[in-house]
Amino acid sequence: MSAEPASRTRASRLRAGILITGTEVLTGIISDRNGPWLSERLIEDGVDTATIQIVGDRPDDLLAALQFMQAEGMALVVTSGGLGPTADDLTAEIVGRFTGREMVLDSGLEHRIGEILRPMMKRWPNLDPDAIRASNRKQAVIPHGATVLDPVGTAPGLVVPSLDGAGPTVVVLPGPPRELQPMWELARQTEAFRAAIAGATTYQREIVRLFGIPESEIANTLREAERAGLSLAQLEITTCLRRGEIEVATRYEPPAQESYDALLELIRQRHADTLFSEDGSTVDEQVAALVRGQRVAVAESCTGGLIAARLTERPGSSDYFAGGIVAYSNEAKHALAGVPEQLISRFGAVSTEVAEALAEGAASRFEADLGIGITGIAGPGGGTDQKPVGTVCISVCARDGRRITRRTRLPGGRTDIRERSVTVAMHLLRRLLQGESDAPAPIRRSRAADRS
Amino acid sequence: MSAEPASRTRASRLRAGILITGTEVLTGIISDRNGPWLSERLIEDGVDTATIQIVGDRPDDLLAALQFMQAEGMALVVTSGGLGPTADDLTAEIVGRFTGREMVLDSGLEHRIGEILRPMMKRWPNLDPDAIRASNRKQAVIPHGATVLDPVGTAPGLVVPSLDGAGPTVVVLPGPPRELQPMWELARQTEAFRAAIAGATTYQREIVRLFGIPESEIANTLREAERAGLSLAQLEITTCLRRGEIEVATRYEPPAQESYDALLELIRQRHADTLFSEDGSTVDEQVAALVRGQRVAVAESCTGGLIAARLTERPGSSDYFAGGIVAYSNEAKHALAGVPEQLISRFGAVSTEVAEALAEGAASRFEADLGIGITGIAGPGGGTDQKPVGTVCISVCARDGRRITRRTRLPGGRTDIRERSVTVAMHLLRRLLQGESDAPAPIRRSRAADRS
C-alpha cells in the first residue's frame, strides 16, 4: 500500500514512461530487470515514473505505446531493447517516425561499430563478414539530430528530443542490463537529457526496514500517525513485504523533512523491537559491517547451500566467510558437522538441539568465530503433525558461548521456506553480532564437534 | 530476436493486455513476477499478450491504461494488484467505472471474507476489529454483474465483461503470486472468461535448448533455413540467451507442423554438439532424471554454495544430493575436502588439478557416486594476468574413474560469473551422466581424499 499525495500536487511533477521492447520479455521467456532499475534511477533525478510498458517487436505496438505516453504528458520516455542487428530490432526507426525525424546514416558511428565488431569476427571465424557489415550499417542509421551514446556492447544508444518541443524526449538504450546501465550514465550527461529534465524536483528518499511483524501493523502505524496530526499528504510512503522483511520507502520534498522526522520517531516508538534499519541498509550490509575481524562458518540442511551463497554474495566476503557444510543426511550431519548421533536419535534431525550442534560444529570445523546451524523441513514432503512442513530450527553461536536459537514455522512453498529461513538466520546473526544472546552466560558443554 | 509472422495474420488473433498495479512495483522496490507468468498462461489458451503495463496506485493512470488497451483492440485485460483493504487499493472501483458498471455490496461475499479474517484476528489480537470490518466491507463492493472469484488470501477476484460487448472483458486478480496463480485457474473456469476467449487459436509450442554457442549462430541457422526454402513465416520464433543457455521457443498453428519439423532437423544437423534439449526440458530436469539411483556431492569455492543450492532446489532432491562443502580458504579445501596441500602450492588454488581433487574429495567425504569440484575467481578482486577474474576450473567425476574437467573464462560481474559457473557445472554433470568422459579409462590415482 502507499499513502499518496493529492494528484493535484503530482500533476506538476515531471513524469516519465519506460518502454521495454522484446517478444522474449513479453512472452515471459525472460523477465525484465531494466524497468525497475530505470525507475529507481529516474527517481534519483527527481522524475516520477508514471508507467512501465512492455511490448513485443511489432512496429504498431511500439508506436502506439509512444503515442500513449505522449498523450499522458510524459516529459521523458526511456526505451530498452530493439537495437540489435536483426530485422526485428526496430526501435531506432520507430522513434525516428514518432519524433518526425528523418533516418540518416552516421558514417563515423558506422566506423566505430566496425571497430568494435572486429575482435568478435576473429573469435568466431565462421561468421559471414558481409552479413555482419550489413547489420553494422543498419545500427548506424539514426534519427537526424539525435545525440549518439557510444556502444558499451555493439549497439549505440540515442537521446532524441521532440522536433517541436511538444512531445517527450526519448532516450533509446539497448536491452542487456550490463550495456544499458553504463549507457544510462552517458545519457544523463547529454545536453538533450538535461534540457528534458530541467525543473525536476529534488526529492529526499528514505528507507527504513523492519523484521518480524505483519505489514498491516505498519498500516496501523500510519493511521495512528494521521490521528496524531502528522501531515502524511506531504510524504509519499510505499510499504512492501520482501523476503519476510518490511520495507517502508518514503519520498518527499525538502520542506516536508519535519513530517518525515515525526513519522520516523513514531515508528521507532511503536516498533522498537522490529525496526533494524533507519538508513536503508540491508541486513546483509549490516552483518558485513558488524562481522569485521571475525569469521563465520555455516552448517545447513534444508537451505541446501543458500546461507553460504548469501554470505558470499558480496565482494570481499572471503574476509569473513570461513566455509560451509551442506548436510542433508543424518550421516553427513554427524560425520561432517560433528553432530552427535544420539542428539539426532533423541530429538530428531529437525530440532533446536541439532541446530545448535550444527552451529557449533561448523564453527569448530572451520575454526571460525561464529557458527550458523539450520535444520528444517522445506517440503513438500517430510512433514509430520509435530513438525509440519515449514518447521525450521536455526541457531547462531559465538566463540564466547553466546548463542541465539529459534524454532519457527514459515509459510509458503519449498522456495519460500528456504529463502525465508536464510533471512531469519541473517537476522539472528545480526542480533548476535549486536550483543544479544539467549542467555548472558550459557553453561558451556564440551563442543559437540570436538567429540567426533 | 524473433522471426515474426506478417502482422496481417496477427491482427485476426485474440490479443490481451496485462495491467500490473502498485507503486511498489513501479518504483522498483519489488519486481513484477505476475506479468510474465500471466503472459505464458494466456499463450497456452491461444491468446497473444500484446502489452504488459505497470502503473502506480493512481486512479487516472489506471483508467488511462485500461482505455489504451481498449483502443488497441484487446479482447481481454488481466489486472493484478490493488485489491487490498487500504484506501489506495482501487482496482475494482476503477474497473467498475471503466466498464460502466455500478458498484454494489455483495453481502454473501462480505460474509465469506469475514470468515477468512476470523483466524487472523485471533493471531494478532492487537488489531482493531472495527477497522478490519470496515476494510472487509470495502473488499465486498464489486461492479454489478461481475463474476466473483473466491479469495485464496483475503482479496476476492473478479471477471467483469464489458456492458455493451464492445470493450474487453477484465479479469481482476490480487497481486501476491501465491494468490493470483490459483485464482487465475478459477477465472478460466468462469463462463464470462470462456465467452471472452471464444475463437482463440490453438497453438503448438515447442522449446529447444542449446549450450555453448553464441546467439548469433542461431540467427545464422534461421537465415540458412530461409535460404533452404523453409517457410519461417508460419513459425513465431523467439530466441533468447538465459544463464548462458540459448532457448529457442517456437509457436505455430497446427498446419505448420511440417515447417517446424524441418527447422528442428536443421538445428539438429548444425548444432548436434550443443543442442541438449528438444522437448523443452531444462538441464536441471535432465540431471534429476539421469541421476536416479546415484548420489552427488559437491565441493565448491567461488560459487560459495550455489551449486548445492541449485541441486537441492527441486523437491525430492534428498534422494540424490549427498551433501556439499563450501571451501573458500586453502585450509578448508585441504581439511574439509581433502585436497592435498602440495597440489594447491604447486598449481594454485584455481587450477584444474585442484578442481579434480575437490570433486574427488567431495565424493569421498560424502560417500557419493558422483562428485563436483569448482574453484575460480569471481572477482572483483583476486585476478592475475595468468588467471584473470572469470577464470573458473570445474570438474565432475564418477566412482568408476570417468571424469570431465574444464578450465573456462566467464564474462560479466561477480554475480554473472558465479551463476554461469553453476550452469557449466550442471552441463558437465549431465554429460558425465550421459556417458561422456575426458578419457575412456583414465589412470586411477589414489584418491586425494583418501590420503588426508
Side-chain angles (χ1 to χ4, degrees):
Chain A
M1 66 143 282
S2 70
E4 286 275 339
S7 40
R8 185 178 39 75
T9 327
R10 310 249 338 227
S12 65
R13 295 185 187 172
L14 272 190
R15 279 158 55 99
I18 297 172
L19 180 56
I20 309 292
T21 72
T23 301
E24 70 280 11
V25 189
L26 189 62
T27 53
I29 291 177
I30 60 170
S31 69
D32 169 56
R33 283 160 50 198
N34 292 332
W37 188 88
L38 287 167
S39 180
E40 295 203 84
R41 295 297 81 71
L42 284 163
I43 289 171
E44 288 166 6
D45 278 333
V47 180
D48 268 342
T49 298
T51 183
I52 299 172
Q53 194 166 356
I54 306 174
V55 299
D57 302 311
R58 284 191 74 223
D60 293 353
D61 290 348
L62 243 76
L63 197 58
L66 288 168
Q67 285 161 347
F68 169 75
M69 289 181 185
Q70 172 159 3
E72 290 293 303
M74 310 293 167
L76 196 71
V77 172
V78 186
T79 74
S80 113
L83 297 181
T86 56
D88 62 319
D89 290 310
L90 32 75
T91 306
E93 191 192 324
I94 299 296
V95 169
R97 203 189 304 171
F98 171 66
T99 53
R101 291 177 183 272
E102 201 189 338
M103 296 301 286
V104 292
L105 176 69
D106 182 326
S107 50
L109 179 59
E110 184 185 13
H111 179 74
R112 294 201 297 281
I113 298 174
E115 289 300 305
I116 290 167
L117 292 176
R118 200 192 297 269
M120 196 180 100
M121 287 164 79
K122 277 200 193 121
R123 199 170 153 208
W124 309 99
N126 295 334
L127 305 189
D128 174 1
D130 285 341
I132 290 178
R133 259 186 293 274
S135 37
N136 166 352
R137 166 159 297 200
K138 169 186 172 296
Q139 289 181 293
V141 176
I142 60 166
H144 182 254
T147 305
V148 174
L149 308 171
D150 271 348
V152 167
T154 64
L158 300 166
V159 181
V160 194
S162 149
L163 249 191
D164 56 5
T169 293
V170 186
V171 178
V172 180
L173 299 172
R178 84 177 65 135
E179 297 179 30
L180 175 136
Q181 294 180 9
M183 287 173 73
W184 169 250
E185 288 308 319
L186 296 180
R188 287 182 68 232
Q189 288 156 28
T190 63
E191 257 181 58
F193 180 88
R194 277 181 292 193
I197 68 156
T201 322
T202 316
Y203 293 107
Q204 288 296 109
R205 237 192 142 206
E206 301 287 349
I207 291 177
V208 304
R209 296 175 201 275
L210 303 96
F211 180 70
I213 52 164
E215 195 180 1
S216 57
E217 277 301 282
I218 291 295
N220 275 348
T221 297
L222 295 179
R223 275 194 286 272
E224 184 59 37
E226 278 181 329
R227 271 197 290 269
L230 254 74
S231 60
L232 292 191
Q234 294 174 280
L235 307 175
E236 187 174 327
I237 303 165
T238 311
T239 71
C240 109
L241 191 67
R242 178 150 63 165
R243 280 176 161 183
E245 297 174 352
I246 291 173
E247 184 172 295
V248 182
T250 309
R251 192 169 64 140
Y252 53 93
E253 296 179 28
Q257 185 66 47
E258 242 176 74
S259 299
Y260 181 73
D261 293 344
L263 174 66
L264 178 59
E265 191 49 44
L266 190 70
I267 292 175
R268 277 186 196 134
Q269 283 167 19
R270 289 173 59 102
H271 305 292
D273 50 337
T274 53
L275 176 68
F276 71 92
S277 171
E278 293 189 5
D279 61 358
S281 61
T282 62
V283 66
D284 298 64
E285 287 163 352
Q286 295 186 0
V287 163
L290 288 163
V291 83
R292 241 162 243 311
Q294 303 174 76
R295 283 160 25 101
V296 192
V298 305
E300 46 187 321
S301 174
C302 60
T303 44
L306 286 177
I307 303 219
R310 179 131 168 210
L311 284 168
T312 56
E313 225 170 66
R314 301 168 59 81
S317 51
S318 51
D319 290 347
Y320 54 83
F321 182 74
I325 294 163
V326 183
Y328 247 44
S329 66
N330 291 346
E331 298 71 47
K333 286 184 184 72
H334 171 65
L336 271 289
V339 178
E341 279 171 328
Q342 64 272 27
L343 218 55
I344 299 175
S345 57
R346 187 165 163 206
F347 299 103
V350 177
S351 59
T352 52
E353 290 80 2
V354 168
E356 291 180 353
L358 284 168
E360 290 178 3
S364 163
R365 286 295 157 106
F366 290 97
E367 295 175 8
D369 307 284
L370 300 150
I372 303 178
I374 299 206
T375 175
I377 303 154
T384 63
D385 280 355
Q386 268 76 47
K387 294 174 185 174
V389 167
T391 303
V392 181
C393 299
I394 307 179
S395 182
V396 293
C397 70
R399 274 259 157 125
D400 61 10
R402 285 180 310 115
R403 176 162 65 199
I404 309 177
T405 304
R406 292 289 176 274
R407 175 180 163 149
T408 179
R409 170 126 183 246
L410 300 171
R414 182 177 177 83
T415 304
D416 302 307
I417 292 167
R418 280 161 47 103
E419 282 182 2
R420 203 66 73 87
S421 299
V422 175
T423 302
V424 176
M426 292 299 288
H427 280 280
L428 294 186
L429 179 58
R430 168 183 62 78
R431 288 167 50 186
L432 190 77
L433 288 165
Q434 287 170 334
E436 279 184 53
S437 179
D438 282 347
I443 300 145
R444 285 296 296 276
R445 55 176 193 195
S446 69
R447 283 205 172 174
D450 296 340
R451 267 180 272 154
S452 75
Chain B
M1 66 147 283
S2 68
E4 286 275 337
S7 40
R8 183 178 41 77
T9 328
R10 308 238 356 214
S12 65
R13 294 185 186 171
L14 273 189
R15 279 159 54 99
I18 298 171
L19 180 55
I20 310 292
T21 72
T23 301
E24 70 281 10
V25 189
L26 189 62
T27 53
I29 292 177
I30 61 170
S31 69
D32 169 55
R33 284 162 50 199
N34 292 332
W37 188 88
L38 286 167
S39 180
E40 294 205 85
R41 296 297 80 71
L42 284 163
I43 288 170
E44 288 166 5
D45 278 333
V47 179
D48 268 341
T49 299
T51 184
I52 300 172
Q53 194 167 354
I54 306 173
V55 299
D57 301 312
R58 285 190 73 222
D60 293 351
D61 289 348
L62 242 77
L63 198 57
L66 288 168
Q67 285 162 346
F68 169 76
M69 291 182 183
Q70 173 158 3
E72 290 293 303
M74 311 293 169
L76 196 70
V77 172
V78 186
T79 73
S80 111
L83 297 181
T86 55
D88 63 319
D89 290 309
L90 32 77
T91 306
E93 191 192 325
I94 299 295
V95 169
R97 206 190 303 171
F98 170 68
T99 53
R101 291 176 183 273
E102 198 188 340
M103 297 300 285
V104 292
L105 176 69
D106 182 327
S107 50
L109 179 59
E110 184 185 13
H111 178 73
R112 293 201 297 282
I113 298 174
E115 289 300 305
I116 290 166
L117 292 176
R118 199 191 297 270
M120 196 181 98
M121 288 165 77
K122 276 197 194 125
R123 198 170 153 208
W124 308 101
N126 295 335
L127 304 188
D128 173 2
D130 284 339
I132 291 177
R133 258 186 294 274
S135 36
N136 165 353
R137 167 159 294 199
K138 168 186 171 296
Q139 289 180 294
V141 175
I142 61 168
H144 182 252
T147 306
V148 174
L149 309 170
D150 271 348
V152 168
T154 64
L158 300 167
V159 182
V160 194
S162 146
L163 249 191
D164 55 6
T169 294
V170 187
V171 178
V172 180
L173 299 173
R178 86 178 61 136
E179 296 179 31
L180 175 137
Q181 293 180 8
M183 287 173 73
W184 169 250
E185 288 308 318
L186 296 180
R188 287 181 68 233
Q189 289 157 25
T190 62
E191 257 181 60
F193 180 89
R194 277 182 292 195
I197 69 156
T201 322
T202 317
Y203 293 106
Q204 287 297 108
R205 232 190 148 210
E206 300 287 350
I207 290 177
V208 304
R209 297 175 202 275
L210 303 96
F211 180 69
I213 53 165
E215 196 179 3
S216 57
E217 278 300 283
I218 291 296
N220 275 347
T221 297
L222 294 179
R223 274 194 286 273
E224 184 59 38
E226 278 182 331
R227 271 197 289 271
L230 254 76
S231 61
L232 292 191
Q234 293 175 283
L235 307 175
E236 186 174 327
I237 302 165
T238 310
T239 70
C240 105
L241 189 68
R242 177 152 61 168
R243 279 179 164 181
E245 298 174 350
I246 291 173
E247 184 172 294
V248 182
T250 309
R251 191 169 65 139
Y252 53 93
E253 295 179 29
Q257 185 67 46
E258 244 175 73
S259 298
Y260 180 74
D261 293 344
L263 174 67
L264 178 59
E265 191 49 42
L266 191 70
I267 293 175
R268 276 187 198 134
Q269 282 167 19
R270 289 174 59 102
H271 306 291
D273 50 337
T274 53
L275 176 68
F276 71 91
S277 171
E278 293 189 6
D279 61 358
S281 61
T282 62
V283 66
D284 299 63
E285 287 163 354
Q286 295 185 0
V287 163
L290 289 162
V291 82
R292 245 166 237 312
Q294 302 173 78
R295 281 159 26 102
V296 191
V298 304
E300 47 187 319
S301 173
C302 60
T303 44
L306 286 176
I307 305 219
R310 178 126 167 215
L311 284 167
T312 56
E313 224 171 68
R314 300 168 59 81
S317 50
S318 51
D319 291 346
Y320 53 83
F321 182 74
I325 294 164
V326 183
Y328 247 42
S329 65
N330 291 345
E331 298 72 48
K333 287 184 183 71
H334 171 65
L336 273 286
V339 179
E341 279 169 332
Q342 64 271 28
L343 218 56
I344 299 174
S345 55
R346 189 166 161 203
F347 300 103
V350 178
S351 59
T352 51
E353 289 80 3
V354 168
E356 291 180 352
L358 284 168
E360 290 177 3
S364 164
R365 286 295 156 106
F366 289 98
E367 296 176 9
D369 307 284
L370 300 150
I372 303 178
I374 299 204
T375 175
I377 302 155
T384 63
D385 281 354
Q386 268 75 48
K387 293 174 184 173
V389 167
T391 303
V392 181
C393 299
I394 307 179
S395 183
V396 294
C397 71
R399 273 260 157 122
D400 61 11
R402 286 179 310 115
R403 172 162 68 197
I404 309 177
T405 304
R406 291 289 176 274
R407 174 179 163 148
T408 181
R409 168 124 187 248
L410 300 170
R414 182 177 176 84
T415 304
D416 302 307
I417 292 167
R418 281 160 48 102
E419 282 181 1
R420 203 65 73 86
S421 300
V422 175
T423 301
V424 176
M426 292 299 288
H427 280 279
L428 294 186
L429 179 59
R430 168 183 62 79
R431 287 166 51 187
L432 191 78
L433 288 165
Q434 286 170 333
E436 278 184 55
S437 179
D438 283 345
I443 299 145
R444 283 297 294 277
R445 58 173 190 195
S446 71
R447 284 207 172 173
D450 297 337
R451 268 182 270 152
S452 73

